Amino acid sequence: MHELGLIYQVVKTVDEIKEEQSLTEVSSITLQIGEMSDVVPNYIEQAWLTAKENTAYENTALVVEVVKARAKCLDCGFEGSVKSFGFVCPECASQRLKIISGREFLIKEISAR
């Protein structure tokens, strides 16, 4: 489960930000996870429960926002959900699509004081 390793990287990054900004308490961390990122949101949430035990983050909430997979047709310019039309443009049947969202894995927000 690579999600546990990802969570430890998130904690490391938040630790660095806490130190840089002299923060004492983190109430929540919001992650954005794309539908096509190969990261399973439920596994991330389970990994968080394990990783935060007996740490400064024991009372920190993890919020996961799933980013929809969207693509743009390079031939006609149509934009839409990859899940609703697959990898063929519903307007012109082109297979020349560029993914514009849905591969993210990032820390969107840290609520702290």
mmCIF file of all heavy atoms in Angstrom, residues 81-105:
data_model
loop_
_atom_site.group_PDB
_atom_site.id
_atom_site.type_symbol
_atom_site.label_atom_id
_atom_site.label_comp_id
_atom_site.label_asym_id
_atom_site.label_seq_id
_atom_site.Cartn_x
_atom_site.Cartn_y
_atom_site.Cartn_z
ATOM 1 N N SER A 81 -15.918 15.313 -18.890
ATOM 2 C CA SER A 81 -15.478 14.253 -17.990
ATOM 3 C C SER A 81 -15.001 13.042 -18.776
ATOM 4 O O SER A 81 -15.706 12.540 -19.654
ATOM 5 C CB SER A 81 -16.630 13.842 -17.080
ATOM 6 O OG SER A 81 -16.310 12.672 -16.380
ATOM 7 N N VAL A 82 -13.813 12.577 -18.448
ATOM 8 C CA VAL A 82 -13.268 11.391 -19.108
ATOM 9 C C VAL A 82 -14.136 10.183 -18.783
ATOM 10 O O VAL A 82 -14.355 9.326 -19.625
ATOM 11 C CB VAL A 82 -11.807 11.140 -18.656
ATOM 12 C CG1 VAL A 82 -11.276 9.828 -19.187
ATOM 13 C CG2 VAL A 82 -10.920 12.285 -19.106
ATOM 14 N N LYS A 83 -14.667 10.138 -17.571
ATOM 15 C CA LYS A 83 -15.485 8.994 -17.172
ATOM 16 C C LYS A 83 -16.793 8.936 -17.945
ATOM 17 O O LYS A 83 -17.334 7.858 -18.142
ATOM 18 C CB LYS A 83 -15.736 9.023 -15.681
ATOM 19 C CG LYS A 83 -14.487 8.710 -14.904
ATOM 20 C CD LYS A 83 -14.813 8.089 -13.604
ATOM 21 C CE LYS A 83 -13.522 7.583 -12.987
ATOM 22 N NZ LYS A 83 -13.727 6.613 -11.977
ATOM 23 N N SER A 84 -17.323 10.058 -18.387
ATOM 24 C CA SER A 84 -18.598 10.027 -19.098
ATOM 25 C C SER A 84 -18.442 9.727 -20.585
ATOM 26 O O SER A 84 -19.341 9.189 -21.198
ATOM 27 C CB SER A 84 -19.363 11.336 -18.899
ATOM 28 O OG SER A 84 -18.699 12.409 -19.520
ATOM 29 N N PHE A 85 -17.278 10.061 -21.176
ATOM 30 C CA PHE A 85 -17.131 9.771 -22.599
ATOM 31 C C PHE A 85 -15.924 8.909 -22.925
ATOM 32 O O PHE A 85 -15.635 8.644 -24.090
ATOM 33 C CB PHE A 85 -17.151 11.049 -23.451
ATOM 34 C CG PHE A 85 -16.007 12.007 -23.228
ATOM 35 C CD1 PHE A 85 -14.780 11.809 -23.832
ATOM 36 C CD2 PHE A 85 -16.184 13.131 -22.446
ATOM 37 C CE1 PHE A 85 -13.742 12.699 -23.643
ATOM 38 C CE2 PHE A 85 -15.147 14.031 -22.261
ATOM 39 C CZ PHE A 85 -13.924 13.811 -22.857
ATOM 40 N N GLY A 86 -15.204 8.447 -21.934
ATOM 41 C CA GLY A 86 -14.051 7.582 -22.195
ATOM 42 C C GLY A 86 -12.933 8.370 -22.843
ATOM 43 O O GLY A 86 -12.758 9.552 -22.593
ATOM 44 N N PHE A 87 -12.188 7.728 -23.703
ATOM 45 C CA PHE A 87 -11.053 8.384 -24.347
ATOM 46 C C PHE A 87 -11.310 8.646 -25.824
ATOM 47 O O PHE A 87 -10.402 8.675 -26.633
ATOM 48 C CB PHE A 87 -9.773 7.573 -24.129
ATOM 49 C CG PHE A 87 -9.282 7.686 -22.715
ATOM 50 C CD1 PHE A 87 -9.583 6.711 -21.781
ATOM 51 C CD2 PHE A 87 -8.557 8.787 -22.304
ATOM 52 C CE1 PHE A 87 -9.142 6.837 -20.471
ATOM 53 C CE2 PHE A 87 -8.115 8.913 -20.998
ATOM 54 C CZ PHE A 87 -8.413 7.930 -20.082
ATOM 55 N N VAL A 88 -12.585 8.858 -26.145
ATOM 56 C CA VAL A 88 -12.975 9.246 -27.504
ATOM 57 C C VAL A 88 -13.892 10.457 -27.363
ATOM 58 O O VAL A 88 -14.840 10.439 -26.586
ATOM 59 C CB VAL A 88 -13.717 8.102 -28.232
ATOM 60 C CG1 VAL A 88 -14.194 8.537 -29.601
ATOM 61 C CG2 VAL A 88 -12.825 6.869 -28.345
ATOM 62 N N CYS A 89 -13.598 11.509 -28.100
ATOM 63 C CA CYS A 89 -14.401 12.729 -28.023
ATOM 64 C C CYS A 89 -15.841 12.443 -28.475
ATOM 65 O O CYS A 89 -16.054 11.909 -29.569
ATOM 66 C CB CYS A 89 -13.784 13.823 -28.907
ATOM 67 S SG CYS A 89 -14.759 15.347 -28.919
ATOM 68 N N PRO A 90 -16.834 12.802 -27.656
ATOM 69 C CA PRO A 90 -18.222 12.571 -28.029
ATOM 70 C C PRO A 90 -18.706 13.510 -29.138
ATOM 71 O O PRO A 90 -19.729 13.257 -29.765
ATOM 72 C CB PRO A 90 -18.993 12.807 -26.735
ATOM 73 C CG PRO A 90 -18.133 13.731 -25.962
ATOM 74 C CD PRO A 90 -16.717 13.384 -26.325
ATOM 75 N N GLU A 91 -17.964 14.584 -29.401
ATOM 76 C CA GLU A 91 -18.353 15.545 -30.431
ATOM 77 C C GLU A 91 -17.819 15.183 -31.815
ATOM 78 O O GLU A 91 -18.531 15.279 -32.800
ATOM 79 C CB GLU A 91 -17.864 16.951 -30.046
ATOM 80 C CG GLU A 91 -18.491 17.503 -28.794
ATOM 81 C CD GLU A 91 -19.974 17.806 -28.950
ATOM 82 O OE1 GLU A 91 -20.368 18.375 -29.984
ATOM 83 O OE2 GLU A 91 -20.732 17.455 -28.028
ATOM 84 N N CYS A 92 -16.537 14.773 -31.878
ATOM 85 C CA CYS A 92 -15.921 14.545 -33.190
ATOM 86 C C CYS A 92 -15.281 13.156 -33.339
ATOM 87 O O CYS A 92 -14.711 12.853 -34.379
ATOM 88 C CB CYS A 92 -14.885 15.629 -33.494
ATOM 89 S SG CYS A 92 -13.375 15.507 -32.500
ATOM 90 N N ALA A 93 -15.358 12.336 -32.306
ATOM 91 C CA ALA A 93 -14.822 10.966 -32.290
ATOM 92 C C ALA A 93 -13.294 10.910 -32.334
ATOM 93 O O ALA A 93 -12.718 9.850 -32.530
ATOM 94 C CB ALA A 93 -15.428 10.114 -33.396
ATOM 95 N N SER A 94 -12.631 12.026 -32.124
ATOM 96 C CA SER A 94 -11.174 12.041 -32.091
ATOM 97 C C SER A 94 -10.666 11.325 -30.845
ATOM 98 O O SER A 94 -11.322 11.316 -29.807
ATOM 99 C CB SER A 94 -10.670 13.493 -32.072
ATOM 100 O OG SER A 94 -9.273 13.531 -31.859
ATOM 101 N N GLN A 95 -9.507 10.733 -30.969
ATOM 102 C CA GLN A 95 -8.852 10.125 -29.815
ATOM 103 C C GLN A 95 -7.700 11.003 -29.322
ATOM 104 O O GLN A 95 -6.961 10.608 -28.436
ATOM 105 C CB GLN A 95 -8.348 8.728 -30.171
ATOM 106 C CG GLN A 95 -9.478 7.760 -30.439
ATOM 107 C CD GLN A 95 -8.986 6.369 -30.764
ATOM 108 O OE1 GLN A 95 -7.808 6.146 -31.014
ATOM 109 N NE2 GLN A 95 -9.902 5.422 -30.768
ATOM 110 N N ARG A 96 -7.579 12.196 -29.894
ATOM 111 C CA ARG A 96 -6.517 13.123 -29.488
ATOM 112 C C ARG A 96 -7.031 13.987 -28.338
ATOM 113 O O ARG A 96 -7.510 15.091 -28.536
ATOM 114 C CB ARG A 96 -6.092 13.990 -30.666
ATOM 115 C CG ARG A 96 -5.369 13.228 -31.740
ATOM 116 C CD ARG A 96 -4.907 14.073 -32.939
ATOM 117 N NE ARG A 96 -5.127 15.503 -32.877
ATOM 118 C CZ ARG A 96 -4.171 16.416 -32.608
ATOM 119 N NH1 ARG A 96 -2.942 16.030 -32.377
ATOM 120 N NH2 ARG A 96 -4.460 17.707 -32.606
ATOM 121 N N LEU A 97 -6.934 13.423 -27.142
ATOM 122 C CA LEU A 97 -7.425 14.100 -25.955
ATOM 123 C C LEU A 97 -6.272 14.425 -25.019
ATOM 124 O O LEU A 97 -5.320 13.658 -24.905
ATOM 125 C CB LEU A 97 -8.434 13.214 -25.213
ATOM 126 C CG LEU A 97 -9.655 12.770 -26.018
ATOM 127 C CD1 LEU A 97 -10.489 11.806 -25.208
ATOM 128 C CD2 LEU A 97 -10.485 13.967 -26.437
ATOM 129 N N LYS A 98 -6.385 15.555 -24.357
ATOM 130 C CA LYS A 98 -5.391 15.958 -23.364
ATOM 131 C C LYS A 98 -6.083 15.986 -22.003
ATOM 132 O O LYS A 98 -7.098 16.662 -21.828
ATOM 133 C CB LYS A 98 -4.840 17.349 -23.694
ATOM 134 C CG LYS A 98 -3.854 17.850 -22.667
ATOM 135 C CD LYS A 98 -3.366 19.237 -23.010
ATOM 136 C CE LYS A 98 -2.408 19.709 -21.913
ATOM 137 N NZ LYS A 98 -2.002 21.087 -22.110
ATOM 138 N N ILE A 99 -5.525 15.252 -21.044
ATOM 139 C CA ILE A 99 -6.072 15.263 -19.691
ATOM 140 C C ILE A 99 -5.775 16.636 -19.078
ATOM 141 O O ILE A 99 -4.627 17.080 -19.058
ATOM 142 C CB ILE A 99 -5.448 14.149 -18.833
ATOM 143 C CG1 ILE A 99 -5.675 12.776 -19.467
ATOM 144 C CG2 ILE A 99 -6.002 14.199 -17.405
ATOM 145 C CD1 ILE A 99 -7.117 12.375 -19.616
ATOM 146 N N ILE A 100 -6.822 17.310 -18.579
ATOM 147 C CA ILE A 100 -6.629 18.641 -17.982
ATOM 148 C C ILE A 100 -6.816 18.633 -16.468
ATOM 149 O O ILE A 100 -6.419 19.581 -15.797
ATOM 150 C CB ILE A 100 -7.533 19.705 -18.644
ATOM 151 C CG1 ILE A 100 -9.002 19.296 -18.595
ATOM 152 C CG2 ILE A 100 -7.096 19.966 -20.078
ATOM 153 C CD1 ILE A 100 -9.965 20.347 -19.135
ATOM 154 N N SER A 101 -7.398 17.584 -15.938
ATOM 155 C CA SER A 101 -7.479 17.429 -14.484
ATOM 156 C C SER A 101 -7.763 15.972 -14.163
ATOM 157 O O SER A 101 -8.227 15.214 -15.006
ATOM 158 C CB SER A 101 -8.570 18.322 -13.875
ATOM 159 O OG SER A 101 -9.854 17.861 -14.230
ATOM 160 N N GLY A 102 -7.432 15.611 -12.925
ATOM 161 C CA GLY A 102 -7.723 14.254 -12.482
ATOM 162 C C GLY A 102 -6.499 13.428 -12.147
ATOM 163 O O GLY A 102 -6.608 12.291 -11.733
ATOM 164 N N ARG A 103 -5.309 14.018 -12.290
ATOM 165 C CA ARG A 103 -4.082 13.306 -11.935
ATOM 166 C C ARG A 103 -3.424 13.876 -10.674
ATOM 167 O O ARG A 103 -2.344 13.462 -10.296
ATOM 168 C CB ARG A 103 -3.086 13.367 -13.095
ATOM 169 C CG ARG A 103 -3.526 12.555 -14.280
ATOM 170 C CD ARG A 103 -2.437 12.495 -15.321
ATOM 171 N NE ARG A 103 -2.841 11.623 -16.397
ATOM 172 C CZ ARG A 103 -2.454 11.759 -17.650
ATOM 173 N NH1 ARG A 103 -1.635 12.736 -17.979
ATOM 174 N NH2 ARG A 103 -2.870 10.925 -18.558
ATOM 175 N N GLU A 104 -4.095 14.802 -10.030
ATOM 176 C CA GLU A 104 -3.529 15.511 -8.891
ATOM 177 C C GLU A 104 -3.352 14.612 -7.667
ATOM 178 O O GLU A 104 -4.110 13.685 -7.434
ATOM 179 C CB GLU A 104 -4.449 16.678 -8.467
ATOM 180 C CG GLU A 104 -4.647 17.749 -9.489
ATOM 181 C CD GLU A 104 -5.733 17.450 -10.511
ATOM 182 O OE1 GLU A 104 -6.295 16.347 -10.536
ATOM 183 O OE2 GLU A 104 -6.009 18.348 -11.303
ATOM 184 N N PHE A 105 -2.342 14.938 -6.910
ATOM 185 C CA PHE A 105 -2.214 14.501 -5.516
ATOM 186 C C PHE A 105 -1.454 15.626 -4.840
ATOM 187 O O PHE A 105 -0.241 15.764 -5.009
ATOM 188 C CB PHE A 105 -1.460 13.181 -5.347
ATOM 189 C CG PHE A 105 -1.353 12.796 -3.888
ATOM 190 C CD1 PHE A 105 -2.420 12.198 -3.257
ATOM 191 C CD2 PHE A 105 -0.219 13.090 -3.153
ATOM 192 C CE1 PHE A 105 -2.355 11.879 -1.894
ATOM 193 C CE2 PHE A 105 -0.138 12.783 -1.794
ATOM 194 C CZ PHE A 105 -1.211 12.172 -1.169
#
